[in-house]
Amino acid sequence: MQTIPRTPYESDHLLLDFIETKNLNWDFVLVCKTGSISSPEEDKRLQYLSALQKKGFKIKKVKDGKITFYGVWALAIIFKKYAQLLNNPDKSYLSKEEEVSPTSRIRIVHFFLSKTAIESNGKQENLDDLIKVGVFETAFPLHTKDQTGEDLKKSWARWRDLLYFQPIEEIRSYYGEKVALYFAWLGWYTTMLLYAAACGIIVLFYGLILHYDNSQISNEICAANDTIMCPLCDQNCPYWLLSDTCTYAKAKHLFDNEGTVFFAMFMAVWATVFLELWKRARAKTVSGWELYSWDEDEEELALELINDPECEIQKHEHSYWRSIVVLFGVCAVIAVLIGIAQALVIYRVVVTVSFTLSSWEFLREKANTAAVMSGAVLHYLTIVIMTKVNRVVATYLSNLEQPRTFTERENNFTIKVFIFQFVTHFSSLFYVAFFLGRINGYPGNYVRIAGHWRLEECHPSGCITDLFIQMCIIMLLKQTLSNCVEYLSPYLSYKLRIFKERRSREPAEEGSEDIAAECWRRNYRLGPVNTFSLFDEFLEMVIQYSFTTIFVAAFPLAPLLAFLNNMLEIRLDAIKMMRLKRRLVPRKANDIGIWLQVLEAVGVLAVITNGLVIAITSDFIPRLIYLYIYGPCAKGSAEGINCLAGYVNYSLSVFRTKDFENLTQISEALYTNVTECRYRDYRSPDDYSFSSQFWHIFAARLGFVILFEHVAVCIKFIAAWFVPDIPQQVKNNNLEQKKKHLLEELRILERSTEV
């Protein structure tokens, strides 16, 4: 063990020997590569460590081959000042020997390490700057083998505990309130998903039992052996029979039926009830922690003053010019992301043409489906790539705003990253849901890219099938592959570091083989964490929540897939944190921050989107119009006749094949001398203008969207009013605490008056 060289201003009690330090529980560890004693990095290192010693920190140095560790331990006076200034916010669960909780101790030490700076080349460099220039490799708090840590490993961070409740209080004691609130929210979200998943399964079984084999529409499609449809492409595509889509038509009615409307309304209410009940659970939990009125600004100000009583406090600032620059930056990124989505559209158009010209007969026949599926895979790859780009851009834009506190910085960063990620994930889905097949024209007058490639059409069974396929592929890929990478990446990295260490480790110096040094090495082997490690977990879950709610009308299985994923996600995150990664710096919090507002915004957007999906993407409205205006039952009961009889013929328009454009080359291998073909639209057979049926359906769709959204929003507001954010018990407990505090102050005042 080596000590840090003394400087003229150091006092004797700051220099340590092995006897004094071997039994200390070290607060933090700094790591660097072992280098030359006379190097510039070593000079900066010693200068920084000496600055820490001046503030009352004890330092222990252990050289372990090519790596050098510096243990950092803070004197009790720092924590006494903290407890005195803030009336000790941890006092509710401390033992008599402790000034602050272990998590607060780590947080306070981390604050001091981050704020300690040295002067180099005329500028101040803090710990983050020193890590960037290679003076230190990393800095981290330690996983400890205390009772709490061992209990969490045995009862929480194991796959076999998949179905057990989470020990939130123990998580709080080990990782702090912010991590505990994340897992409390994730557990609550997963529990509520169970009800949504059950409802989605019921809707699916409703479609299976009542519509799969008994639907009048799918039966007509399956029997339409003489209905010739127009070619799906320009490159020698043949005419095809409507009955070819029989299987898809049956499958579509599993989720495109009357139950879908109920399910969409249910999910709107579910999203509101979920958030309102979470607010109540959060209030009850935080009140039990005595953090309900905790003030971050006050705590940070207290730590600033303990660190440097003469410091200049960074004040809140706002610049309209910076805000304008940030706004333009955000808009530019969104434009790029939308451009990528349009590039995916062009990809599907070009690939569809290539597939139809393929020598493989199966690929030719399924060209449209194959293009949609490959486009979904490519969309997933763009999500993976743009996720990294979005983080870099969001960090830069957030720094431009010069936030004062960590929470302000995190909130700014969160909003930008979520917006970028939302557009990345959902721009393609919005195109498929609301534009695919509606802007491509009609036979004889197709809209073309560069005057050559014809825009893609919906799946022959309907546009909602395309949306279902996209949602299914993206959710399955995102959840399965992301979880595999999320677990295997730190696991394999950890095993690789152990393997390399065993091969290259040099013998330790005499005297360095103590318990502390071995603990430091064990923690150093674990995967690195950063300030926004918990942010990544929140972002993943909120994006999943968006998938679960926004297009749930087209994919009722989304809540079920989310529920199954989250059952694994909870234990995966626990295993990562406890066994594969270094300890996160604990942070105090009394809510989940800006994420609550993000979730509420997603809930409102989900109401709008699902209303549009039912009205525009599905065939629900056209079926209703036919049922009550054009069908056999429109003018009264028709005994023995299904009221949707004839709907398929009603929903198809007639096109004369002589009016095809010159760019359309048709293969007559299957059907010859075809004079008329059918296509999905509501147009006049004479001049191909929109028919009266189209305008009836258009008006009904518009009316349904307005009605659905107003009813859903009203129900959301009623549910939010009916379920108070804060339980009355919590309010009463807060009143009792205030009364107790005021009585204590009154007694102190009376005693001072008597004297």
Side-chain angles (χ1 to χ4, degrees):
M1 195 279 295
Q2 302 175 19
T3 57
I4 305 305
R6 296 220 294 184
T7 56
Y9 47 73
E10 289 175 344
S11 58
D12 291 337
H13 76 278
L14 296 178
L15 295 179
L16 308 176
D17 56 36
F18 181 73
I19 297 175
E20 290 175 319
T21 62
K22 65 180 181 179
N23 295 320
L24 291 180
N25 293 321
W26 297 92
D27 300 312
F28 240 84
V29 173
L30 306 176
V31 185
C32 66
K33 301 290 185 183
T34 302
S36 171
I37 298 177
S38 59
S39 65
E41 289 81 8
E42 183 69 16
D43 292 339
K44 288 184 178 182
R45 197 175 299 132
L46 293 178
Q47 188 179 351
Y48 178 80
L49 294 171
S50 297
L52 288 179
Q53 287 182 323
K54 285 179 63 178
K55 293 182 177 181
F57 286 89
K58 294 187 177 183
I59 312 293
K60 175 181 178 179
K61 178 180 180 180
V62 173
K63 184 179 178 183
D64 185 30
K66 297 180 181 180
I67 301 295
T68 301
F69 297 100
Y70 294 92
V72 178
W73 184 79
L75 297 178
I77 185 62
I78 295 174
F79 309 111
K80 287 181 179 178
K81 291 179 180 178
Y82 171 85
Q84 185 68 31
L85 286 176
L86 296 175
N87 194 23
N88 202 351
D90 299 331
K91 60 186 177 183
S92 61
Y93 66 106
L94 290 178
S95 63
K96 293 182 179 179
E97 296 78 17
E98 294 177 312
E99 294 290 344
V100 294
S101 67
T103 54
S104 289
R105 184 180 179 99
I106 294 173
R107 186 178 70 256
I108 294 168
V109 171
H110 177 258
F111 182 90
F112 275 72
L113 293 179
S114 301
K115 292 296 181 178
T116 300
I118 62 173
E119 187 171 342
S120 176
N121 299 324
K123 64 177 183 179
Q124 296 289 313
E125 291 185 337
N126 58 24
L127 181 59
D128 289 337
D129 299 324
L130 296 176
I131 290 175
K132 289 178 182 177
V133 298
V135 175
F136 292 104
E137 179 187 342
T138 187
F140 53 83
L142 296 168
H143 281 291
T144 59
K145 288 192 173 183
D146 58 9
Q147 188 63 42
T148 303
E150 292 302 309
D151 287 347
L152 286 175
K153 282 187 177 181
K154 293 177 181 178
S155 64
W156 181 53
R158 297 189 306 182
W159 292 114
R160 70 181 70 174
D161 299 319
L162 205 63
L163 300 178
Y164 290 91
F165 288 104
Q166 300 182 86
I168 299 300
E169 290 300 326
E170 286 80 1
I171 297 171
R172 180 217 179 187
S173 298
Y174 194 79
Y175 280 111
E177 289 78 9
K178 192 160 190 173
V179 172
L181 282 172
Y182 163 72
F183 280 104
W185 173 83
L186 180 55
W188 186 260
Y189 169 46
T190 304
T191 301
M192 293 295 292
L193 275 174
L194 183 61
Y195 302 101
C199 189
I201 293 173
I202 291 172
V203 169
L204 199 68
F205 273 103
Y206 170 82
L208 180 64
I209 295 171
L210 296 182
H211 291 279
Y212 187 75
D213 288 323
N214 303 319
S215 170
Q216 174 67 26
I217 297 173
S218 58
N219 289 338
E220 286 186 5
I221 291 175
C222 293
N225 296 318
D226 56 352
T227 302
I228 298 177
M229 304 295 291
C230 296
L232 295 174
C233 69
D234 293 334
Q235 289 72 31
N236 292 317
C237 282
Y239 297 104
W240 53 282
L241 294 178
L242 181 61
S243 58
D244 294 344
T245 63
C246 175
T247 303
Y248 285 109
K250 289 184 175 181
K252 185 185 78 167
H253 284 90
L254 292 176
F255 50 89
D256 185 10
N257 54 63
E258 299 80 8
T260 304
V261 181
F262 162 77
F263 188 53
M265 190 71 72
F266 170 84
M267 288 302 294
V269 177
W270 175 89
T272 302
V273 172
F274 157 62
L275 290 179
E276 293 302 316
L277 291 179
W278 160 248
K279 291 175 187 177
R280 290 174 60 84
R282 193 271 323 173
K284 188 175 180 180
T285 300
V286 170
S287 178
W289 294 345
E290 297 187 6
L291 286 177
Y292 195 77
S293 20
W294 171 75
D295 186 349
E296 184 194 18
D297 278 341
E298 184 182 16
E299 173 161 309
E300 184 164 320
L301 186 57
L303 290 175
E304 288 277 10
L305 294 174
I306 297 171
N307 179 54
D308 181 8
E310 298 180 359
C311 67
E312 292 185 8
I313 301 300
Q314 181 183 355
K315 297 182 179 180
H316 294 281
E317 295 180 1
H318 178 74
S319 169
Y320 287 104
W321 288 112
R322 283 200 300 267
S323 299
I324 291 172
V325 171
V326 170
L327 181 61
F328 275 107
V330 170
C331 292
V333 175
I334 292 175
V336 170
L337 295 174
I338 293 176
I340 292 174
Q342 298 310 307
L344 289 173
V345 173
I346 296 174
Y347 163 83
R348 285 196 295 266
V349 170
V350 175
V351 165
T352 301
V353 173
S354 301
F355 287 167
T356 54
L357 297 176
S358 172
S359 58
W360 187 14
E361 183 180 354
F362 177 80
L363 189 60
R364 284 201 310 273
E365 293 177 353
K366 307 295 181 182
N368 193 42
T369 303
V372 171
M373 294 181 70
S374 65
V377 174
L378 186 60
H379 182 206
Y380 173 76
L381 295 177
T382 62
I383 288 172
V384 174
I385 296 171
M386 291 308 299
T387 294
K388 301 183 182 299
V389 176
N390 292 341
R391 292 175 67 89
V392 174
V393 176
T395 301
Y396 176 76
L397 293 176
S398 297
N399 290 336
L400 284 180
E401 294 180 284
Q402 298 180 2
R404 180 186 175 276
T405 64
F406 174 81
T407 298
E408 287 182 8
R409 180 182 299 276
E410 188 178 44
N411 288 347
N412 294 342
F413 180 78
T414 297
I415 291 296
K416 294 174 183 60
V417 171
F418 177 77
I419 291 174
F420 297 160
Q421 288 296 92
F422 184 87
V423 177
T424 302
H425 283 81
F426 287 92
S427 54
S428 179
L429 290 174
F430 272 93
Y431 169 78
V432 171
F434 306 126
F435 298 98
L436 178 64
R438 294 170 183 81
I439 58 174
N440 62 323
Y442 57 89
N445 188 29
Y446 285 116
V447 176
R448 301 178 183 274
I449 298 174
H452 182 69
W453 290 296
R454 155 181 159 188
L455 283 180
E456 60 185 334
E457 294 188 33
C458 291
H459 191 276
S461 63
C463 297
I464 200 167
T465 304
D466 294 281
L467 185 58
F468 179 90
I469 292 173
Q470 286 267 27
M471 282 284 294
C472 185
I473 291 177
I474 290 176
M475 281 204 74
L476 287 174
L477 276 179
K478 179 173 176 53
Q479 295 190 159
T480 54
L481 293 183
S482 295
N483 281 346
C484 288
V485 172
E486 189 178 348
Y487 178 73
L488 291 177
S489 178
Y491 177 78
L492 295 177
S493 298
Y494 174 61
K495 294 298 183 182
L496 182 61
R497 281 192 294 272
I498 292 177
F499 176 75
K500 288 182 177 179
E501 181 181 309
R502 288 174 178 172
R503 292 191 59 185
S504 62
R505 183 177 172 187
E506 298 177 1
E509 291 187 358
E510 184 180 354
S512 67
E513 287 297 333
D514 56 39
I515 297 176
E518 177 56 34
C519 176
W520 300 350
R521 279 193 294 271
R522 187 171 62 252
N523 280 265
Y524 177 68
R525 295 186 198 113
L526 299 173
V529 295
N530 55 60
T531 306
F532 294 108
S533 291
L534 189 63
F535 166 86
D536 295 333
E537 307 299 340
F538 258 120
L539 179 63
E540 179 186 359
M541 287 297 100
V542 174
I543 290 294
Q544 184 211 75
Y545 175 82
S546 303
F547 276 113
T548 304
T549 54
I550 288 181
F551 287 110
V552 73
F555 192 56
L557 291 178
L560 177 62
L561 293 181
F563 173 76
L564 296 175
N565 172 79
N566 288 4
M567 292 293 292
L568 297 174
E569 182 74 26
I570 292 173
R571 302 304 162 181
L572 191 154
D573 289 345
I575 291 171
K576 273 195 318 179
M577 288 186 178
M578 292 299 302
R579 300 178 183 273
L580 300 177
K581 292 204 170 186
R582 296 168 191 157
R583 189 173 183 176
L584 286 169
V585 175
R587 296 199 178 276
K588 198 176 286 293
N590 58 8
D591 57 29
I592 60 173
I594 197 69
W595 290 114
L596 184 61
Q597 285 74 38
V598 172
L599 291 168
E600 288 176 337
V602 170
V604 173
L605 182 61
V607 171
I608 299 172
T609 306
N610 283 303
L612 290 172
V613 167
I614 295 171
I616 297 175
T617 314
S618 78
D619 291 333
F620 177 73
I621 298 300
R623 289 198 299 264
L624 281 184
I625 294 298
Y626 181 78
L627 189 65
Y628 293 107
I629 298 179
Y630 297 102
C633 301
K635 296 180 180 179
S637 61
E639 295 184 4
I641 300 177
N642 190 298
C643 292
L644 287 175
Y647 171 79
V648 172
N649 184 64
Y650 156 83
S651 64
L652 299 175
S653 296
V654 177
F655 179 76
R656 297 183 297 274
T657 58
K658 66 179 182 179
D659 295 331
F660 271 122
E661 300 167 284
N662 293 330
L663 289 173
T664 303
Q665 305 297 321
I666 303 171
S667 170
E668 296 187 350
L670 298 178
Y671 304 98
T672 58
N673 301 322
V674 177
T675 58
E676 291 182 348
C677 62
R678 309 295 295 273
Y679 62 100
R680 291 184 180 277
D681 208 341
Y682 297 93
R683 292 181 180 273
S684 167
D686 299 323
D687 57 359
Y688 306 122
S689 61
F690 287 123
S691 63
S692 59
Q693 290 97 322
F694 172 85
W695 296 111
H696 277 141
I697 293 172
F698 178 81
R701 281 173 165 163
L702 182 62
F704 175 84
V705 170
I706 296 173
L707 179 64
F708 178 88
E709 291 175 3
H710 279 71
V711 170
V713 169
C714 287
I715 293 175
K716 282 173 67 69
F717 283 140
I718 293 172
W721 165 80
F722 189 76
V723 183
D725 293 355
I726 305 172
Q728 300 303 315
Q729 181 184 357
V730 172
K731 293 182 178 179
N732 292 332
N733 289 341
N734 286 336
L735 282 175
E736 290 293 334
Q737 290 177 6
K738 290 177 181 179
K739 176 184 175 182
K740 182 179 178 181
H741 172 71
L742 291 173
L743 285 174
E744 289 178 358
E745 293 293 327
L746 187 58
R747 281 194 290 268
I748 293 173
L749 181 61
E750 289 174 349
R751 284 198 297 268
S752 63
T753 305
E754 291 174 0
V755 174

